[in-house]
Amino acid sequence: MPILNYLQAYTVPSTGDTYNLLTEDTTQEYLFYGGGIMTGDIIINPSGTDVFGLTFVIKWLGTADLITNSRTFSVFGINLTDQQAVNKQTIICTYNGTFYDIEIHSNFDDSFIVENKNIALLAVDTPQLDALSVTTAKIAALAVTDAKINDVDGSKLVAASVDASTKLTDATITDAKFDTGTVSSVRFRNATGVVGDLALANNEVAIGNGTTIVAVNKSTFNSLPGSYEVFNIEVSFEANEVAATRHIYLPYSCTVQKMKTSITKDIAATDVASVILTDDGAATVIATQAIPASTTVASASFVTTPTYVYTAAATTSTISLTTTKTTAGGKAFVSITVSRT
């Protein structure tokens, strides 16, 4: 089924600009358009508290000429090249606990993916790839070593192209080097250096766990340790609704990372409105957000980062939200972000 992502789009002017992406935002992808012949720099940075595993997906869909006026295009401290700036890029920034790892994925329709500078002296061209065009004379003596041969099978060798013992030292080609492997599998090397085949069933992918490679079904991705989930709940401070408790079923252990409250109806005057997040099983208050009297819808969101360790209980695997206010009036929307443990 299709996935509905929360997107935020920006149009970059030719004068450049600085964009601070909030770490507490629930946006899943950021789209950047525009550009032109740049007279100023483009800077994209994170803003807020970094959390391990926090990932920003940034799509550059514009065209920025950095060369004409010697400008730069920086994403989380990494500068895009001139070629990357004029082509579409998907940039994934993941916080590893110390800094952001940056991955830049280019569109293979772009002409610069394979450049001349990556091919020595234009050595690979059409005539040299025709049948039998790579001959012994073009391969330096001893240039092909054991380390450079991996899973070479007969279909890759022209008949009679391997001859005479002078081309092969004793025992350099063994049965292990022609191993066809397990059907529907990937070849891996574990932490101790042991090489093996990992069979993959339908909808399974290979994932490393730091020691070896294991097969994981794609349907379980959302339940893996470290994955995030966001619960969105509307709360009310209106008459006959304030002080109501809303329970949220949370059957797995996790860390409550963030609580974000946005006002959806102006808060009544006179006294503070409070939203209380509680671990029902442990009878423990996780976080409390106090919203000043007369806070309007146009006000900024209120964010709390409790990093509370929640343990699912056998019978009371719930957390709850309760509102309090003496003078009734107002409504809010609360987002609770948890990471599985």
Side-chain angles (χ1 to χ4, degrees):
M1 61 178 291
I3 298 174
L4 179 61
N5 286 330
Y6 292 97
L7 305 177
Q8 178 69 51
Y10 298 94
T11 299
V12 178
S14 61
T15 54
D17 208 342
T18 297
Y19 302 89
N20 294 312
L21 308 185
L22 299 179
T23 58
E24 67 268 20
D25 203 345
T26 55
T27 300
Q28 293 167 302
E29 289 188 5
Y30 297 87
L31 310 180
F32 287 84
Y33 301 88
I37 299 176
M38 303 304 299
T39 59
D41 298 333
I42 304 172
I43 302 172
I44 303 174
N45 281 323
S47 177
T49 302
D50 299 318
V51 179
F52 178 78
L54 184 64
T55 300
F56 289 84
V57 178
I58 299 167
K59 292 187 176 179
W60 170 240
L61 304 173
T63 300
D65 175 0
L66 305 179
I67 297 176
T68 300
N69 295 307
S70 299
R71 309 316 303 179
T72 61
F73 188 160
S74 165
V75 179
F76 284 42
I78 299 297
N79 285 338
L80 269 61
T81 66
D82 298 334
Q83 287 282 11
Q84 289 170 334
V86 296
N87 290 282
K88 296 180 179 65
Q89 313 293 334
T90 296
I91 307 163
I92 302 174
C93 309
T94 304
Y95 190 69
N96 63 18
T98 304
F99 54 85
Y100 280 90
D101 293 316
I102 311 297
E103 300 173 44
I104 301 176
H105 300 272
S106 299
N107 189 327
F108 273 82
D109 288 336
D110 295 339
S111 59
F112 76 97
I113 294 298
V114 178
E115 297 182 82
N116 290 344
K117 68 180 181 181
N118 296 327
I119 303 174
L121 299 176
L122 301 176
V124 179
D125 57 25
T126 302
Q128 290 168 316
L129 294 175
D130 289 339
L132 302 179
S133 62
V134 179
T135 63
T136 304
K138 295 176 183 176
I139 302 176
L142 300 180
V144 179
T145 63
D146 291 351
K148 295 176 183 176
I149 300 176
N150 183 24
D151 292 337
V152 177
D153 57 38
S155 66
K156 296 185 176 75
L157 302 175
V158 177
S161 63
V162 179
D163 59 16
S165 59
T166 57
K167 295 180 181 176
L168 300 172
T169 59
D170 291 344
T172 56
I173 295 182
T174 63
D175 290 342
K177 292 174 183 172
F178 290 92
D179 186 3
T180 57
T182 304
V183 175
S184 186
S185 69
V186 294
R187 179 64 58 91
F188 71 92
R189 184 187 299 272
N190 66 17
T192 62
V194 176
V195 176
D197 287 336
L198 176 66
L200 298 176
N202 189 33
N203 287 323
E204 286 187 337
V205 296
I207 294 181
N209 63 7
T211 301
T212 188
I213 307 295
V214 296
V216 176
N217 194 289
K218 293 189 295 184
S219 64
T220 66
F221 280 8
N222 287 337
S223 61
L224 294 176
S227 60
Y228 282 78
E229 191 164 355
V230 179
F231 298 91
N232 298 309
I233 307 96
E234 186 177 47
V235 297
S236 175
F237 305 99
E238 296 290 306
N240 300 321
E241 295 178 351
V242 68
T245 298
R246 289 167 170 76
H247 296 280
I248 305 159
Y249 183 50
L250 189 55
Y252 53 81
S253 296
C254 61
T255 299
V256 180
Q257 300 283 9
K258 182 171 60 178
M259 176 180 172
K260 178 180 179 181
T261 301
S262 302
I263 307 305
T264 57
K265 182 179 179 182
D266 292 352
I267 302 300
T270 305
D271 60 288
V272 170
S274 296
V275 182
I276 304 168
L277 176 62
T278 303
D279 178 346
D280 294 333
T284 301
V285 173
I286 299 173
T288 299
Q289 285 183 338
I291 304 168
S294 303
T295 299
T296 65
V297 172
S299 301
S301 299
F302 297 83
V303 178
T304 303
T305 54
T307 59
Y308 175 81
V309 177
Y310 167 83
T311 302
T315 56
T316 55
S317 293
T318 60
I319 57 177
S320 61
L321 285 172
T322 305
T323 56
T324 63
K325 194 176 190 312
T326 302
T327 303
K331 291 187 177 183
F333 189 80
V334 181
S335 295
I336 302 167
T337 302
V338 303
S339 60
R340 290 177 181 259
T341 54

